[in-house]
Structure formats: C-alpha cells, structure tokens
Amino acid sequence: MTRLFNDPAAFADEALEGFTAAHRRWVRPVTGGVVRATATPAGQVAVVIGGGSGHYPAFSGLVGRGLAHGAAVGNVFASPSARQIHSVATAAHAGGGVLLMYGNYAGDVLHFGQAAERLAADGVETRTFAVADDISSAGPEESAKRRGIAGDLPVFKAAAAAAEQGLPLEEVLRVAERAGARTRSFGIAFSGCTLPGADHPLFTVPEARMAVGLGIHGEPGIGEEALPTADEAARLLVETLLKELPEDVADPAGERAAVILNGLGSVKYEELFVVYRRVAALLGDAGVEIVDPEVGELVTSFDMAGISLTLTWLDDRLEELWRAPADTPAYRKGALDAAEPDLDRASVTAAAQDTAVPAAPVVPAASDASRGAADTVLAALDAVARVVDAHADELGRIDAVAGDGDHGIGMRRGSTAAHRAAADAHGLGAGAGTVLTRAADAWADKAGGTSGALWGRILRSLGTALGDRDAPDAARVAEGVTDASAAVRRLGGAEVGDKTMVDVLVPFADALAAATAEGLSLADAWDRAATTATAAAAGTADLLPRRGRARPHAEKSLGTPDAGAHSLALITRAVHGALLDHH
C-alpha cells in the first residue's frame, strides 16, 4: 500500500515537486508539469506527453533529449486538465509545432483535445495522438477503444526520435501512427493497488489466482485464472500477443520486435528476469528477432503486483527510432553529446516570476439582481463541496468496482476548487454567471479526468444561461441545465443507457424543464427533478457500462450504480437544500 503521504489530495502535487527537485539536470517545473531543462533547437517539433500520477516513470520521468519535450501531470489516475496541458505545451514549444501524446482514456482525450484547440487558437500548429495498445480492453474490430498501457513508451519514443531528427509535424505524427498500429500489450496481476489515504486496494485477487487483462489504473482484470509459474506466465503473455499480429505481419517468423516486460509496481526485478528468460526463449522459438529489450518498471500502477508484455513490430525505420539514444531521468539509451542548459528560457521564466506584479483580479460588471443571485450560487457550490467531501470515500469504493477508484478524489478536488474560485469572484462583486464560470474553470483544472471536464462544462453552461445582468428565474435555470445536458453528451459522447452520469443528467434536466413549465417555483421544481435524479442513479445499478474504463469489466459493475451518476444525484439533492435556505 501507499504508506508515505501527507494530505492524499496533495499527493500528486507534492510528488511532482519532489521529482523536479531530484532531477534538475533533466527537467524544470512549469505550471501543470515539467519540460526539458536542456535547450531545444529552434523549429523542432515538441512532443508533449501526459496523463495521471501514479504511473512513474510515466510520464514525467520520460522527459529529456531523445524522448518527450514536456509532460503534463494530472492528479492520481486522472488526466491533466486542458489548462495544464496548454501550459506545458506552450513552455515546450520551439517553433515547430506540438504533438500531444497520451493513453487512450476518456479524460485524456477530452482534455488533450481541448488543449489542442487552445494551442491552435494561439497560432501553434498542434496534432494529437492517443496510444491504444492493450488488447484485453477491446477486440481487433474495436481497436480504437483500447486503453494505452506500457505501449506508451515505444510509441512516444518513436515520435520523439523522429522529432529529434528535425522532421516536420505531419511526419512526426505519421511515425506515431505507424508505431501505434504495430504495438500490442497484455498484462496479468496478482493484487490490486492502494491509493494514497485508502485503507484497502482497488481490487483483490483470490489466493492462488491471478487477474488476466489488467489496466494501469487499478482496474480489475477481465478474468481470473490459476496462479501460474513464471514460465506459465511467460507462455500466456507471449501466446496471447502472437495471436494478434499487425495487418501487414503475416507470420512472426523473421520479424523484428521491440520487447518490453513491464513491472507494475511491486513485482521485483529478479522476478521479471525469471519471466523474461522464458519470454525471450518463446519469441525465439517463434522466429522473432528481439531488438533492444527493456525489462523493468516503465509504466506502473502504484503498488500493483502485476506484469505486462509489450511487442512493437519493427520495420527498418521504427528500428532506427527505437535504437536512437535518449537521456531522461528514468530512461536512458545510447550516448548523446553534452547538452546545453536552456538558460535563456529558464532565466526569462524566473525573471518574470520574480518581477511580475500580479494584476488585480477583475470581474465583469453585474447588476444588483445578478449579484444577489450569486449569493445563492455560492451557497449551492458550498453545499456541493460539502456533500462531495462527505461521500468521497463512498464514491471511490463505487468507482473501484469496475473502474480506477479515483472518482471521489477527483470530485473532492474539483468541488473544493470550484467553491474557492466562486467565493473569490463573489467577493469581488461578480454576478451569478461569472461566479459559475470561474467555478467551472477551477473545477476542470483541479479535478482533471473525465469528471473534471464534464463538470466544468456543466457549470459553464449554467453560467452562460444565467449571465450577469438579471436575476435568473426558474425557466432560465432549467434552460441552463438543459444546455448542460446537451453539452455533456456532445463532449463525452455518452447517451442514456451507457451507465454514466448522462443517465441522471438527462432525466434530471427533462424533469426540471417540465416542472418549471408547469409554473412551479425553482425550489419546488428542483425538488421534483432531484427525486427523479436519485431514482435514475439507483437504476444505473442494473445497467452494463458501454463507455469508459468500466466497459471492459461490464459484468463486475452489475448491481452497483455508476459513480458519476450517484455523485450527480447527491449533488442535485444538496443544491435543493441551498435553494430552500435562499428561497
């Protein structure tokens, strides 16, 4: 378990602070993550990677020459926010454009996509690429839905090495696509991981059994089998991967492959070597030529006892890029000439931090009526933060049934930050709309992950509907909730029946609109809609997930409500209490 921590909510930030203090030769801190401490040639494409904390050396440990130019680092098992990614990419950009790379998870797809839009608006040419190498998470016919696990490394490295060679952005992207299409991973686990502050692992494996097809966020495997010997584990990993070859590889015999045997946190190196001796023999028997194998911890999951095997099928070009030298805190290969420190950029940043006078925060002008409504908005956000805090552990337990168990942590960070930002704006005399939009940005930024992006969109939709000019009536609030419902479905791609928060948000919005159309007061209409939300959340226990990290473990979630749906129902009821108090 994770034993050394202070405040669990601050764990990721404090870990990053310590990492940068220990590795100043390679990295320097920027808002949202780290970038190279060495100079990047002008015009070189910047490869910016990222994801949640808890996977070291991914992602910060892979920043340095020959690999990433920067890494955006999110909260525990949660994607970094669009603001963090934008900040890191801006700092890493050297004039040649930016390639954003990440594992294929809903939160990462949302936030990196939004960051790409912001960079493009800044005039920075940007492309994105999601690694999807885990064959256990979807079949070949749905390979675009697969998770990114230890295959991140060879795909990141191929793109970064191409960037080091001075290739333009579109060619670097094509290299990433080629490497991604030829990379497959598969893993097993013997116990789950325990998040900082938790008193039990996210999942357990029965004695003398192993979980097959694990994820790197503490998700349980897709099945269980008898605990194998090391040789039996090696055979399972190799035979499973050899059953699915890239489209342009007809037979493994005569092919070359980059091989990674990855430890997920608590399997010791000696154990990995015992397994690898058999992996190498089996691949050799199949006629595969192994190129520069890696055996060790490359993408971890806190203290999970598990291993994964990755094969990247090489052609001449990919082999050249795989063999290329790299120098990062956690991954080094070959030899590079001495690097020049990035003194110009680092000194400019330091000088700006030392001499800049913070601008006085300002808010748009608001009417007295809207400022009065902002009192209620602030009270509602306070109620949201309190109910989330009270149920954070419960939300984590629900999420851990078939997901990664981080929902409570993310919701606590997001709702607390939203209330704080709202209070600051309210203190400056902001109207209801501005209070909500400031809260929206804070929630999305601090929570990260899918829920951070979606709650940021919900609050922003409400803020846009309420505005800062008039006192919002019940109909306008209902309109804002309806807009939020539509925006979440567009952004996340989920619909009713997929076992997500949408299963609560849509009926809640519909019930609120119907009640206000009947002429009910906002408090009474909200009460009716919150009752609908509670029933809808309970009903998700009978659904099988069709999206998100829980999808590969659908049967495990039967009988348990969706964590996002449950938290939304709790929030709607808490807000009703605030409306009654400010009626």
Side-chain angles (χ1 to χ4, degrees):
M1 62 184 298
T2 308
R3 295 176 175 85
L4 295 175
F5 54 88
N6 298 306
D7 178 0
F11 183 87
D13 295 335
E14 293 179 350
L16 184 62
E17 182 182 350
F19 166 77
T20 57
H23 295 295
R24 294 195 184 280
R25 169 185 156 189
W26 291 276
V27 300
R28 62 182 178 87
V30 296
T31 300
V34 296
V35 295
R36 292 183 187 179
T38 54
T40 298
Q44 186 175 108
V45 172
V47 174
V48 174
I49 64 176
S53 297
H55 305 302
Y56 191 84
F59 294 86
S60 55
L62 302 179
V63 174
R65 291 190 302 156
L67 246 163
H69 297 74
V73 182
N75 191 29
V76 173
F77 289 174
S79 70
S81 69
R83 177 176 172 271
Q84 289 177 287
I85 300 160
H86 177 269
S87 170
V88 173
T90 299
H93 183 229
V98 173
L99 175 60
L100 302 176
M101 302 186 71
Y102 45 92
N104 189 32
Y105 298 91
D108 294 280
V109 172
L110 290 174
H111 286 287
F112 277 92
Q114 291 174 355
E117 293 174 358
R118 296 184 189 183
L119 289 165
D122 295 341
V124 178
E125 190 176 8
T126 307
R127 300 291 183 271
T128 65
F129 184 78
V131 180
D133 58 302
D134 177 20
I135 67 171
S136 69
S137 54
E141 70 285 353
E142 294 184 305
S143 59
K145 295 181 179 180
R146 287 177 168 173
R147 304 176 290 206
I149 52 174
D152 284 353
L153 174 61
V155 181
F156 291 169
K157 188 177 186 304
E164 292 281 0
Q165 293 177 349
L167 297 183
L169 180 58
E170 290 299 335
E171 291 189 33
V172 173
L173 174 60
R174 281 196 289 272
V175 166
E177 292 170 340
R178 175 70 169 167
R182 296 172 70 87
T183 298
R184 307 283 189 277
S185 299
F186 183 71
I188 57 177
F190 317 109
S191 70
C193 62
T194 305
L195 301 184
D199 58 5
H200 57 278
L202 292 177
F203 71 90
T204 58
V205 180
E207 191 73 23
R209 304 284 290 176
M210 71 172 174
V212 178
L214 58 95
I216 60 167
H217 296 92
E219 307 100 322
I222 58 175
E224 287 182 4
E225 295 185 12
L227 187 67
T229 65
D231 284 359
E232 289 168 345
R235 181 172 296 279
L236 173 64
L237 295 171
V238 170
E239 290 183 349
T240 301
L241 289 180
L242 290 184
K243 288 177 183 176
E244 188 189 317
L245 302 173
E247 290 183 359
D248 55 352
V249 176
D251 189 314
E255 295 290 337
R256 293 161 289 170
V259 179
I260 297 174
L261 184 63
N262 176 61
L264 279 146
S266 64
V267 174
K268 305 307 295 181
Y269 273 67
E270 286 86 350
E271 295 175 89
L272 292 173
F273 292 138
V274 171
V275 175
Y276 183 72
R277 53 174 271 289
R278 188 58 180 157
V279 166
L282 290 168
L283 289 173
D285 291 344
V288 178
E289 178 186 347
I290 298 173
V291 178
D292 282 4
E294 296 287 345
V295 180
E297 294 183 346
L298 284 309
V299 180
T300 62
S301 184
F302 276 112
D303 60 334
M304 182 186 288
I307 60 176
S308 64
L309 181 65
T310 297
L311 301 181
T312 297
W313 298 93
L314 303 173
D315 55 22
D316 290 345
R317 180 71 174 123
L318 290 177
E319 180 175 350
E320 174 193 2
L321 298 171
W322 176 241
R323 291 185 182 274
D327 184 25
T328 78
Y331 183 87
R332 296 164 206 170
K333 177 179 285 189
L336 289 162
D337 295 334
E340 292 294 326
D342 193 3
L343 295 176
D344 290 341
R345 196 176 301 183
S347 62
V348 168
T349 301
Q353 291 174 342
D354 290 342
T355 62
V357 177
V362 295
V363 297
S367 67
D368 290 341
S370 184
R371 284 196 292 269
D375 293 340
T376 304
V377 169
L378 183 61
L381 289 169
D382 177 54
V384 169
R386 285 188 284 108
V387 76
V388 166
D389 184 65
H391 291 85
D393 292 343
E394 174 195 6
L395 295 174
R397 285 192 297 272
I398 293 172
D399 191 35
V401 171
D404 54 15
D406 71 337
H407 187 67
I409 295 174
M411 291 291 289
R412 177 183 275 153
R413 281 173 60 102
S415 60
T416 299
H419 177 249
R420 186 179 300 119
D424 290 344
H426 181 264
L428 295 170
T434 294
V435 167
L436 278 165
T437 54
R438 296 286 174 90
D441 291 342
W443 192 315
D445 185 40
K446 288 300 182 182
T450 306
S451 67
L454 298 181
W455 272 101
R457 187 57 60 92
I458 288 170
L459 296 184
R460 179 164 288 276
S461 295
L462 283 168
T464 300
L466 268 57
D468 292 328
R469 297 188 61 182
D470 306 313
D473 56 17
R476 188 178 301 178
V477 173
E479 177 186 346
V481 172
T482 298
D483 291 345
S485 174
V488 165
R489 280 178 285 167
R490 285 195 304 271
L491 185 62
E495 294 293 343
V496 172
D498 286 345
K499 195 164 186 172
T500 70
M501 70 183 302
V502 168
D503 289 293
V504 171
L505 183 55
V506 169
F508 173 76
D510 291 346
L512 185 64
T516 55
E518 292 177 18
L520 271 65
S521 68
L522 178 58
D524 289 343
W526 196 283
D527 181 30
R528 181 189 294 181
T531 300
T532 299
T534 300
T540 62
D542 299 325
L543 299 176
L544 289 173
R546 297 199 294 245
R547 303 188 66 85
R549 291 178 188 168
R551 182 183 54 80
H553 320 288
E555 290 76 12
K556 291 180 180 291
S557 74
L558 269 180
T560 302
D562 176 70
H566 184 56
S567 62
L568 175 54
L570 291 172
I571 285 170
T572 61
R573 181 50 64 191
V575 170
H576 176 247
L579 293 176
L580 287 177
D581 291 342
H582 287 74
H583 186 58

